[in-house]
Amino acid sequence: MPDENRYIICMKWGTKYGAEYVNRLYNMVNRHLTLPFQMVCLTDDSTGIDANVKCYPIPELNLPSNIPERGWKKLTTFSPELYDLKGTALFLDIDIVIVDNIDCFFTYQAQHDDSVVIIRDWKKPWRMVGNSSVYRFKVGQNTYPNLLSNFEQNFDTIRSQVRHEQAYLSNYLREHHHLEYWDASWCVSFKYQCVQPFPLSFVKPPILPKGAKMVIFHGEVNPPDAIIGKSGKWYRKVLPTDWIRDYWR
């Protein structure tokens, strides 16, 4: 049965992130997921990626050229048919850090068969927009038949209304399918929940919140920055964070 197939899907394009991000993600999933899975990377360059990760080209998006990149490529995971993948997929950004068992991301019982389960945005939760660093969906079963075509056909209008792919995704799903959110303790923001509030951040290193299973990096700081204590904004000081090194490997 297709639902019995479990996929971890990630995406890598451009030069910002090297193959080591994909390989570390695979290692972390392998340590923290006890259920059988196949890891897939959609990428424009598979050089150096672990042989255990199945690589495919990123599907083409029918969009104007020379537009700012806002993560639109991630929407191609909702292609009615995505190569030969059929089952339940958990999409993970390649710069997350897994810190505990993640079986629950597959065993969680959604309220609806066509639900996409996603992180609820930390900064403005009232907007009901998900953070697409971690989302679960049905892949390759034509569950969301018009999500991608609607985006391509109405891109100019959509781009004038939303800034990132996760806003379009959330709005579309709430209107045409169902959107659900992970337990708030599972996916924590390094920026908002680990880094100490100003001015404590100048004297106390970031913490790992109790119950966290994944640490999400968004904004200017990535895992290697956190390890050495490289900050983004001056008022959001990041001291060296040793526990990131322990997990991000």
Side-chain angles (χ1 to χ4, degrees):
M1 295 289 292
D3 282 352
E4 295 175 355
N5 296 326
R6 299 180 196 89
Y7 300 98
I8 297 290
I9 299 181
C10 67
M11 192 173 283
K12 181 181 82 70
W13 69 85
T15 58
K16 182 177 181 180
Y17 300 104
E20 72 275 8
Y21 276 80
V22 178
N23 296 340
R24 287 173 190 253
L25 182 61
Y26 171 76
N27 292 338
M28 289 186 289
V29 171
N30 209 30
R31 288 196 302 272
H32 294 292
L33 180 60
T34 68
L35 305 170
F37 73 96
Q38 169 68 61
M39 184 156 166
V40 171
C41 182
L42 303 176
T43 183
D44 59 3
D45 182 6
S46 61
T47 305
I49 293 178
D50 192 303
N52 291 302
V53 180
K54 196 164 185 178
C55 294
Y56 296 98
I58 299 171
E60 291 294 325
L61 259 182
N62 183 25
L63 298 181
S65 58
N66 302 317
I67 58 172
E69 170 50 45
R70 302 293 186 190
W72 308 122
K73 289 182 175 66
K74 290 168 74 170
L75 294 173
T76 62
T77 58
F78 290 94
S79 300
E81 294 185 7
L82 188 64
Y83 298 105
D84 59 347
L85 311 182
K86 291 188 186 301
T88 300
L90 183 67
F91 182 93
L92 301 177
D93 275 353
I94 57 175
D95 60 348
I96 70 166
V97 174
I98 302 175
V99 298
D100 200 359
N101 180 273
I102 61 170
D103 289 6
C104 57
F105 288 88
F106 282 103
T107 59
Y108 172 81
Q109 292 294 311
Q111 295 181 19
H112 304 277
D113 194 51
D114 64 345
S115 287
V116 173
V117 194
I118 200 167
I119 301 170
R120 188 153 196 165
D121 184 68
W122 303 280
K123 191 174 183 182
K124 299 177 180 178
W126 60 88
R127 292 177 56 218
M128 298 178 71
V129 170
N131 178 291
S132 62
S133 295
V134 180
Y135 59 88
R136 192 187 76 189
F137 64 106
K138 289 184 177 295
V139 64
Q141 300 176 62
N142 204 27
T143 306
Y144 324 94
N146 302 314
L147 187 154
L148 195 58
S149 59
N150 177 74
F151 175 74
E152 292 178 323
Q153 292 164 14
N154 300 288
F155 177 71
D156 288 338
T157 301
I158 292 167
R159 187 170 58 150
S160 70
Q161 297 171 340
V162 301
R163 180 174 170 80
H164 296 286
E165 111 289 339
Q166 59 196 22
Y168 166 74
L169 179 63
S170 301
N171 294 342
Y172 183 90
L173 290 168
R174 281 190 285 105
E175 183 176 352
H176 299 281
H177 297 280
H178 294 92
L179 189 70
E180 298 184 39
Y181 302 103
W182 300 120
D183 183 304
S185 67
W186 291 359
C187 301
V188 298
S189 163
F190 183 78
K191 184 179 186 178
Y192 296 126
Q193 293 167 275
C194 299
V195 175
Q196 303 278 355
F198 177 86
L200 284 179
S201 58
F202 283 79
V203 294
K204 290 189 175 182
I207 62 166
L208 177 59
K210 185 177 180 180
K213 298 181 180 300
M214 300 188 192
V215 179
I216 313 303
F217 286 80
H218 51 105
E220 299 174 5
V221 177
N222 291 324
D225 300 325
I227 290 170
I228 65 174
K230 180 180 177 183
S231 307
K233 301 286 193 301
W234 71 267
Y235 53 83
R236 195 172 280 118
K237 177 70 173 176
V238 177
L239 293 178
T241 312
D242 289 339
W243 56 266
I244 293 290
R245 180 185 288 108
D246 295 336
Y247 293 109
W248 193 64
R249 56 185 176 80

